[in-house]
Amino acid sequence: MYTVCVRDHFMIAHSFRGETFGPAQRLHGATYVVDLELRRPDLDCDGVVADIGQLGDCLRAVLDELNYRDLDALPEFAGRNTTTEFLAREIHDRVAARIANGRLGPNAAGLTAMRVTLRESHVAWASYEGPLP
Amino acid sequence: MYTVCVRDHFMIAHSFRGETFGPAQRLHGATYVVDLELRRPDLDCDGVVADIGQLGDCLRAVLDELNYRDLDALPEFAGRNTTTEFLAREIHDRVAARIANGRLGPNAAGLTAMRVTLRESHVAWASYEGPLP
Amino acid sequence: MYTVCVRDHFMIAHSFRGETFGPAQRLHGATYVVDLELRRPDLDCDGVVADIGQLGDCLRAVLDELNYRDLDALPEFAGRNTTTEFLAREIHDRVAARIANGRLGPNAAGLTAMRVTLRESHVAWASYEGPLP
Amino acid sequence: MYTVCVRDHFMIAHSFRGETFGPAQRLHGATYVVDLELRRPDLDCDGVVADIGQLGDCLRAVLDELNYRDLDALPEFAGRNTTTEFLAREIHDRVAARIANGRLGPNAAGLTAMRVTLRESHVAWASYEGPLP
Amino acid sequence: MYTVCVRDHFMIAHSFRGETFGPAQRLHGATYVVDLELRRPDLDCDGVVADIGQLGDCLRAVLDELNYRDLDALPEFAGRNTTTEFLAREIHDRVAARIANGRLGPNAAGLTAMRVTLRESHVAWASYEGPLP
Amino acid sequence: MYTVCVRDHFMIAHSFRGETFGPAQRLHGATYVVDLELRRPDLDCDGVVADIGQLGDCLRAVLDELNYRDLDALPEFAGRNTTTEFLAREIHDRVAARIANGRLGPNAAGLTAMRVTLRESHVAWASYEGPLP
């Protein structure tokens, strides 16, 4: 199995609801360094999993929807805890939708899985991995 | 599949038995930077894989049993080579026992796997991954 | 010249005023990974620049004053842009005040300079270095 | 499942063919930092996945075949795009052949899989993972 | 003293002349991860050393002059060994010229020094630091 | 000012004397990842600060004197706390002696300073910088 990965980041404000979060119930924020991995069993005709230039642009476009935002104020996240895990899944699904819409070109049909990892500090990260249709 | 990871470290002395280890048969030591990953297919009711505060405390408690120790002098390791791989498994099993004892609360029932990685230098690491019951 | 460094982090929300900041004028946030360096020309009687356990506790105490906060709501920062550079200086001065108050013990009299570096992402950081009295 | 990993690097020149590569169609180069991972379900009689000294020597020997080379001039790569993904597979297969030839000793019979990751910058990497016979 | 740093990278081919370089006399290449640091004793009116958006664009523009190039074929480097140290100085001088031309705006008059570091692998780097006029 | 740096590591056992060290008074150990930096105001005739191949060999030779050792048992350290700071100075002086003995060749006469940094974990390091004669 082949994997390719590109890295970028975004910076947001948010707060969590639930006693388990302790002081993180207060309004605070985070830098998330994002690793986007794509997998496929065979390389495409150019000899790559995906073009990392296109892939980086696609990731950047998704992160720009969240970057420099207060996630507590975004309607799509109303009533949700925007935890690191949750955001990893959210970014996974948004990138997957763009790939399904042809954002990475026709060769992307060979992609079989995507993993999104969000590093919130030098000592903690979370990820979500799911299949691509 | 979701994964969450926390990082910590411990520092020990030990020696290895067997010609294959060359100069590492002498008493020496290591800093191990430890990555503890937990996996589950769905998030719990708070929107997390596990609370990283509790998880970090749990890992710290296990590492404190080994930290600043000469592993050659610990009865539980008598006759064993405490290699990086061996210690990754040992920490995996000790954390798994604490989770089974409720250390991470009732939501931990949804956890399905754990991986423990020990980085012994900037050029070598080892890990053990196993299921959680 | 000897230097010792300890690392920790904190997570905050804030916004900036001034057109130069573009979208960072919106409420957002950051994880800052903090490196605290202390310098002295000679080691103390224990053979160290400072005890890294005490130093880490001192840094943690200062970061806890800021951690999980909306910096826009803190009276001490009213009317200021809490940029990475500004916060590096702020943490420098708070740690220096604690050292002056004996927080690191009498041996700290030999310390001559402190540098505080805040890494805001994998591609940007800022620092402040100043003398210790 | 146990994994052990060693890291090394090599530096090459090459160019790519195909419009998708844009300016990378020009002669350029790369440093690849290589992570070689081996997996096995149980440890060998020494308590390791593989001896990391032997493993590092084996990886070094394979990288020396490519290091400080213009890959466009190597007959074995004629007509191929030596992308990061392609090179990860190439190194995987060359190390696997050496293991099959006994380079890691008889205990290597227990190895079940190998992953080779090539980091081409601080923001991009690719890998290939395949079974060992 | 305040410092701000931004990171980017470029990828080139080149070869060295001189027996001391051994196999690096052959055509090969490198990824250079570049850290560009600027220093000033006081912050500007926005509370920063320099705008990291503008600074990143300025660094990117300089690196684009070298990126995906065979340095042996560039007239400006004829007869020179384009070592990591040499390239650090070259990038320093090119960025300094752009700052002198107003690329970072009038506030840049307060800048006093610049350091450029090129990381060529996980185990080697070089830098050049010089004053700004 | 130009700087070049090479990285390597060593692994040792030791213990500390003095109540300030708490549990580190017990026999334990550490991996030290070592960064060796050399500085000079102008490049040599090859266009480098020093040959990194020779420099890496020189550092390796010094680290081999300590690697896989119990520092408590080495006569040269009797009665000393082999702290990270102390070891940084020790390695500095041993490398400096080798350079003075011609280990890096005659061009090394232009070197003006050396810094040695020892990273003992992902959250702590120490260094010593001194002039070269």
Side-chain angles (χ1 to χ4, degrees):
Chain A
M1 180 65 68
Y2 292 92
T3 303
V4 73
C5 180
V6 295
R7 175 172 286 192
D8 206 329
H9 77 287
F10 67 110
M11 305 174 88
I12 54 88
H14 61 172
S15 63
F16 297 138
R17 291 180 301 177
E19 286 186 17
T20 187
F21 293 104
Q25 295 175 86
R26 301 194 298 244
L27 179 63
H28 64 287
T31 305
Y32 293 110
V33 176
V34 183
D35 285 328
L36 172 59
E37 296 170 64
L38 290 177
R39 306 195 204 287
R40 62 190 298 163
D42 298 293
L43 298 181
D44 74 7
C45 52
D46 287 316
V48 297
V49 170
D51 178 72
I52 63 170
Q54 283 187 309
L55 183 56
D57 290 345
C58 179
L59 175 59
R60 187 65 256 160
V62 166
L63 298 186
D64 281 341
E65 297 169 353
L66 305 172
N67 198 24
Y68 294 124
R69 295 287 178 188
D70 173 11
L71 301 186
D72 293 354
L74 294 187
E76 67 255 48
F77 298 142
R80 305 299 300 266
N81 276 329
T82 53
T83 61
T84 310
E85 294 92 324
F86 173 88
L87 290 170
R89 171 68 178 271
E90 184 72 20
I91 292 167
H92 177 284
D93 291 353
R94 292 186 186 198
V95 172
R98 285 170 181 257
I99 293 174
N101 286 336
R103 183 64 185 75
L104 295 185
N107 287 343
L111 297 168
T112 54
M114 188 195 312
R115 183 178 189 176
V116 174
T117 303
L118 269 61
R119 298 178 193 278
E120 69 177 72
S121 76
H122 64 306
V123 291
W125 56 260
S127 72
Y128 176 74
E129 176 160 359
L132 289 176
Chain B
M1 179 66 67
Y2 292 92
T3 303
V4 73
C5 180
V6 295
R7 175 172 285 191
D8 207 329
H9 77 287
F10 67 109
M11 305 173 88
I12 54 86
H14 62 171
S15 62
F16 298 137
R17 292 180 300 177
E19 286 186 18
T20 188
F21 293 104
Q25 295 175 85
R26 302 193 298 244
L27 180 63
H28 64 288
T31 306
Y32 293 111
V33 176
V34 183
D35 286 327
L36 172 59
E37 297 171 63
L38 290 177
R39 306 194 203 288
R40 61 190 300 164
D42 297 294
L43 299 181
D44 74 8
C45 53
D46 287 317
V48 297
V49 170
D51 178 73
I52 63 170
Q54 283 186 309
L55 183 57
D57 291 345
C58 179
L59 176 59
R60 187 66 256 161
V62 166
L63 299 187
D64 281 342
E65 297 169 353
L66 304 173
N67 199 23
Y68 294 125
R69 295 286 178 190
D70 173 11
L71 300 186
D72 293 355
L74 295 187
E76 67 253 50
F77 298 140
R80 305 299 299 267
N81 276 330
T82 54
T83 61
T84 311
E85 295 91 323
F86 173 88
L87 290 170
R89 172 67 179 271
E90 185 71 19
I91 292 168
H92 176 284
D93 290 353
R94 292 187 185 197
V95 172
R98 286 172 182 255
I99 293 174
N101 286 336
R103 184 64 186 74
L104 295 185
N107 287 344
L111 298 168
T112 54
M114 187 195 313
R115 183 178 188 177
V116 175
T117 303
L118 268 61
R119 299 177 193 278
E120 70 178 71
S121 76
H122 63 306
V123 291
W125 55 261
S127 71
Y128 176 75
E129 176 159 0
L132 290 175
Chain C
M1 179 65 68
Y2 292 93
T3 303
V4 73
C5 180
V6 295
R7 176 172 284 191
D8 207 329
H9 77 286
F10 67 109
M11 305 173 88
I12 54 86
H14 63 170
S15 62
F16 298 137
R17 291 180 303 177
E19 286 186 17
T20 188
F21 292 105
Q25 296 175 86
R26 301 194 299 244
L27 179 63
H28 63 286
T31 306
Y32 292 111
V33 176
V34 183
D35 285 328
L36 172 59
E37 297 170 64
L38 290 177
R39 307 195 202 288
R40 62 189 300 164
D42 297 293
L43 298 182
D44 74 7
C45 54
D46 286 317
V48 297
V49 170
D51 178 73
I52 62 170
Q54 283 187 309
L55 183 57
D57 290 345
C58 179
L59 175 60
R60 187 66 256 158
V62 167
L63 298 186
D64 281 341
E65 297 169 353
L66 304 173
N67 198 23
Y68 294 124
R69 295 287 178 188
D70 173 10
L71 300 186
D72 293 354
L74 295 187
E76 66 255 49
F77 297 141
R80 304 299 299 266
N81 276 329
T82 54
T83 62
T84 311
E85 296 91 322
F86 173 87
L87 290 171
R89 172 67 179 271
E90 184 72 19
I91 292 167
H92 176 283
D93 291 353
R94 292 187 185 198
V95 173
R98 284 170 182 256
I99 293 174
N101 286 337
R103 183 64 186 73
L104 295 185
N107 287 343
L111 296 169
T112 55
M114 188 195 313
R115 183 178 189 177
V116 175
T117 303
L118 269 61
R119 299 177 194 278
E120 68 178 70
S121 75
H122 64 306
V123 291
W125 56 260
S127 71
Y128 176 75
E129 175 159 0
L132 290 175
Chain D
M1 180 65 68
Y2 292 92
T3 303
V4 74
C5 180
V6 295
R7 175 171 286 192
D8 207 329
H9 77 286
F10 67 109
M11 305 173 87
I12 54 85
H14 62 171
S15 62
F16 298 137
R17 291 180 301 176
E19 286 186 17
T20 187
F21 293 105
Q25 295 176 84
R26 300 193 299 245
L27 180 63
H28 63 287
T31 306
Y32 293 111
V33 177
V34 184
D35 286 327
L36 172 59
E37 297 170 64
L38 290 178
R39 308 195 202 287
R40 62 191 298 163
D42 297 293
L43 299 181
D44 74 8
C45 53
D46 287 316
V48 297
V49 170
D51 179 73
I52 63 169
Q54 283 187 309
L55 183 57
D57 290 345
C58 180
L59 176 60
R60 187 65 256 159
V62 166
L63 299 186
D64 280 342
E65 296 169 353
L66 304 173
N67 198 23
Y68 294 125
R69 294 287 177 190
D70 172 11
L71 301 186
D72 293 354
L74 295 188
E76 67 253 50
F77 299 141
R80 304 299 300 267
N81 276 328
T82 54
T83 62
T84 311
E85 295 90 324
F86 173 88
L87 290 170
R89 172 67 178 271
E90 184 72 19
I91 293 168
H92 176 283
D93 290 353
R94 292 187 185 198
V95 172
R98 285 169 182 256
I99 293 174
N101 286 336
R103 184 65 185 73
L104 296 185
N107 288 342
L111 297 168
T112 55
M114 187 195 312
R115 182 179 189 176
V116 175
T117 303
L118 268 62
R119 300 178 193 277
E120 69 177 70
S121 76
H122 64 305
V123 290
W125 56 261
S127 72
Y128 176 75
E129 176 159 359
L132 290 175
Chain E
M1 180 64 69
Y2 292 93
T3 303
V4 73
C5 181
V6 295
R7 175 171 285 192
D8 207 329
H9 77 287
F10 67 110
M11 305 173 89
I12 54 86
H14 61 171
S15 62
F16 298 137
R17 291 180 303 177
E19 286 186 16
T20 187
F21 293 104
Q25 295 176 85
R26 300 194 298 245
L27 179 62
H28 63 288
T31 305
Y32 292 111
V33 176
V34 184
D35 285 327
L36 172 59
E37 297 171 64
L38 291 177
R39 306 195 203 288
R40 61 190 300 164
D42 298 293
L43 298 182
D44 74 9
C45 53
D46 287 317
V48 297
V49 170
D51 178 73
I52 62 169
Q54 283 187 309
L55 183 57
D57 290 346
C58 179
L59 175 60
R60 188 65 256 159
V62 167
L63 299 186
D64 281 341
E65 296 169 354
L66 305 172
N67 199 24
Y68 294 125
R69 295 286 177 190
D70 173 11
L71 300 187
D72 293 355
L74 295 187
E76 67 253 50
F77 298 141
R80 305 298 300 267
N81 276 329
T82 53
T83 62
T84 311
E85 296 91 323
F86 172 87
L87 290 171
R89 172 67 177 272
E90 184 72 20
I91 292 168
H92 176 283
D93 290 354
R94 292 186 185 197
V95 172
R98 285 171 182 256
I99 293 175
N101 286 336
R103 184 63 185 74
L104 296 185
N107 287 343
L111 297 169
T112 56
M114 188 195 313
R115 182 178 190 178
V116 175
T117 303
L118 269 60
R119 299 177 193 278
E120 69 178 71
S121 75
H122 64 305
V123 291
W125 56 260
S127 71
Y128 176 75
E129 175 158 1
L132 290 175
Chain F
M1 181 63 69
Y2 293 92
T3 303
V4 73
C5 181
V6 295
R7 176 171 285 190
D8 207 329
H9 77 287
F10 67 110
M11 305 173 87
I12 54 86
H14 61 172
S15 62
F16 298 137
R17 291 180 303 176
E19 286 187 18
T20 187
F21 293 104
Q25 295 175 86
R26 302 193 298 244
L27 179 63
H28 64 287
T31 306
Y32 292 111
V33 177
V34 183
D35 285 328
L36 172 59
E37 297 169 65
L38 290 177
R39 306 195 203 287
R40 61 190 299 165
D42 297 293
L43 298 182
D44 74 7
C45 53
D46 286 317
V48 298
V49 170
D51 179 72
I52 62 170
Q54 283 187 309
L55 184 56
D57 290 345
C58 180
L59 175 59
R60 187 66 255 160
V62 167
L63 299 186
D64 280 342
E65 296 170 354
L66 304 172
N67 198 24
Y68 294 124
R69 294 286 178 191
D70 172 11
L71 300 187
D72 293 354
L74 295 187
E76 67 253 50
F77 298 141
R80 305 298 301 266
N81 275 329
T82 53
T83 62
T84 311
E85 295 91 323
F86 173 88
L87 290 171
R89 172 66 178 272
E90 184 71 19
I91 292 167
H92 177 281
D93 290 353
R94 292 186 185 197
V95 173
R98 285 168 181 256
I99 292 174
N101 286 336
R103 185 63 184 75
L104 295 185
N107 287 342
L111 298 168
T112 55
M114 188 196 312
R115 183 177 189 177
V116 175
T117 303
L118 269 61
R119 299 176 194 278
E120 69 178 69
S121 75
H122 63 306
V123 290
W125 55 260
S127 72
Y128 176 75
E129 176 159 359
L132 290 175

